Amino acid sequence: MDTGEVTRGYFYSMPGWVKVVFYGFAAVALAVFFVGVWRRARRYRAGRSDPSNLPPLRNWVRALLPVATNRTILRGSPVVGAGHLAMFWGFIGLFVATLVVLVDADLLHPLKPEWTFMHGDFYRVFSLLADAAGVLFLAGLAVVVVHRGLVRPARLQAPDRAEPAHFPSRGSMLRDDWLLLALLVAAGIGGFLVEGLRIRATQPDFESVSFLGWQIGGWLDAAGLSASSAEGAFGYLWAAHALVAFSFVAYLPYSKAWHMLAGWYALAAKRERIGTLPATIPSASGGYVHLSDLTRGELALLDACVRCGRCHEVCPAVESGSPLSPRDLILALQAGA
């Protein structure tokens, strides 16, 4: 086969109007996403201005290592940490793959088709790495789902409160946790099913590098699904997968998934010496009385918390039976922010 034929068309078997609808939904999802980002930024700006809360560039670079290795999670729970690390790097790989497709299909192809690069050996390597990232992502998600749904450690359970009005409701926390996981699982599995249907319909030998998609295509063939039926089903599943992906993009800044950025900031802003005081202290006699007493950076730090309960689990106050809990304090501040 000519190396120029080693590729795949975008919007396979889709009529022209589907492209218009697709980009329309993409625009809506991005608009909702940026509104969420703007709301986060507006909330942070309600705090006190404190230039010392803006970490220097070297801190952001230094924080990349713990972000990339997930070492703080691995240190607390090796199995869950490994699952989170697999999910993190699988997500990064799929995100990069999406950006590569965007550049090739939406930037280079309209400008000058001969500049596109998704063919030949590049396409083979791309397909292999994209499938590997997807498998890594789903493996990590499986660990997280089992840990939350079956193991159910006490520290992850939404706490009962004597004053529930001051905390996020148990229902809202559970909905956020499971809605986010459901979107991620649906996106990961849906992507492979779409790939499997496309491979079953077209059956190009070079797609064997997409090892899981190729395997799914073989299973569909063994189950008796014809190439024409696979092509017919492809459009419906492709549309559902696109809606799930857009829903995740739109939901991201409203969910705990925002901790991907807030956590990076928290690590970059971490003081090197334990016990150092902030540069400025609120002048009010009660110290931190209102949320506006917190600096903008401190308000951003609240969003780094994902209710993992590790601080609650090792807190001496909690161990002594005191109602004071660092996790619950953060939850109360989040609810009031």
Side-chain angles (χ1 to χ4, degrees):
M1 179 177 291
D2 183 357
T3 190
E5 297 176 350
V6 179
T7 187
R8 64 177 171 89
Y10 300 113
F11 297 101
Y12 164 71
S13 79
M14 298 286 104
W17 63 268
V18 171
K19 299 180 183 180
V20 177
V21 174
F22 175 85
Y23 288 113
F25 273 105
V28 171
L30 287 174
V32 175
F33 171 86
F34 284 115
V35 167
V37 172
W38 175 78
R39 290 178 62 181
R40 294 268 186 182
R42 184 181 64 175
R43 195 183 74 188
Y44 299 157
R45 289 185 62 82
R48 294 183 297 109
S49 177
D50 181 4
S52 68
N53 272 127
L54 184 62
L57 178 60
R58 66 177 182 276
N59 286 32
W60 290 94
V61 175
R62 184 187 63 196
L64 285 175
L65 180 60
V67 168
T69 60
N70 284 198
R71 66 187 183 193
T72 56
I73 305 175
L74 285 164
R75 187 165 57 238
S77 178
V79 174
V80 177
H84 192 279
L85 185 63
M87 183 172 63
F88 172 79
W89 277 108
F91 178 86
I92 294 296
L94 293 174
F95 178 71
V96 171
T98 302
L99 290 181
V100 170
V101 170
L102 183 148
V103 170
D104 187 75
D106 298 321
L107 297 180
L108 297 183
H109 191 271
L111 291 174
K112 206 166 186 179
E114 57 268 30
W115 288 354
T116 58
F117 48 77
M118 288 285 284
H119 49 75
D121 289 339
F122 182 91
Y123 178 72
R124 288 191 179 94
V125 174
F126 171 85
S127 297
L128 174 64
L129 294 179
D131 262 37
V135 170
L136 196 64
F137 178 66
L138 287 177
L141 273 175
V143 173
V144 173
V145 169
V146 168
H147 187 66
R148 283 188 170 272
L150 297 180
V151 179
R152 295 173 58 82
R155 63 182 174 82
L156 287 178
Q157 306 312 308
D160 289 316
R161 291 288 154 221
E163 300 179 15
H166 298 293
F167 296 87
S169 69
R170 177 192 294 267
S172 68
M173 289 190 286
L174 288 175
R175 281 193 300 271
D176 187 24
D177 289 346
W178 287 106
L179 176 57
L180 180 60
L181 281 175
L183 286 173
L184 293 173
V185 170
I189 294 177
F192 277 117
L193 291 177
V194 168
E195 183 181 51
L197 283 172
R198 176 177 56 80
I199 290 174
R200 174 67 191 101
T202 56
Q203 299 180 314
D205 291 340
F206 62 82
E207 284 287 16
S208 60
V209 295
S210 303
F211 54 95
L212 184 53
W214 181 265
Q215 185 64 59
I216 293 173
W219 289 336
L220 294 175
D221 185 13
L225 185 70
S226 66
S228 60
S229 296
E231 183 173 334
F234 173 87
Y236 295 102
L237 190 57
W238 178 89
H241 176 62
L243 285 175
V244 169
F246 290 149
S247 297
F248 171 74
V249 170
Y251 182 53
L252 194 153
Y254 304 90
S255 72
K256 61 191 284 185
W258 184 255
H259 83 278
M260 290 185 289
L261 296 177
W264 185 19
Y265 170 81
L267 290 169
K270 182 179 178 182
R271 291 185 173 88
E272 296 181 4
R273 290 178 295 169
I274 303 299
T276 57
L277 293 174
T280 58
I281 302 295
S283 59
S285 60
Y288 287 85
V289 179
H290 306 287
L291 281 172
S292 57
D293 293 330
L294 297 172
T295 67
R296 295 171 180 177
E298 288 165 343
L299 287 172
L301 287 174
L302 294 179
D303 288 334
C305 174
V306 290
R307 306 190 296 270
C308 69
R310 288 186 297 159
C311 62
H312 176 87
E313 199 172 45
V314 300
C315 177
V318 175
E319 288 293 321
S320 68
S322 168
L324 177 64
S325 163
R327 176 197 63 190
D328 300 344
L329 173 63
I330 296 299
L331 290 178
L333 291 171
Q334 286 180 340

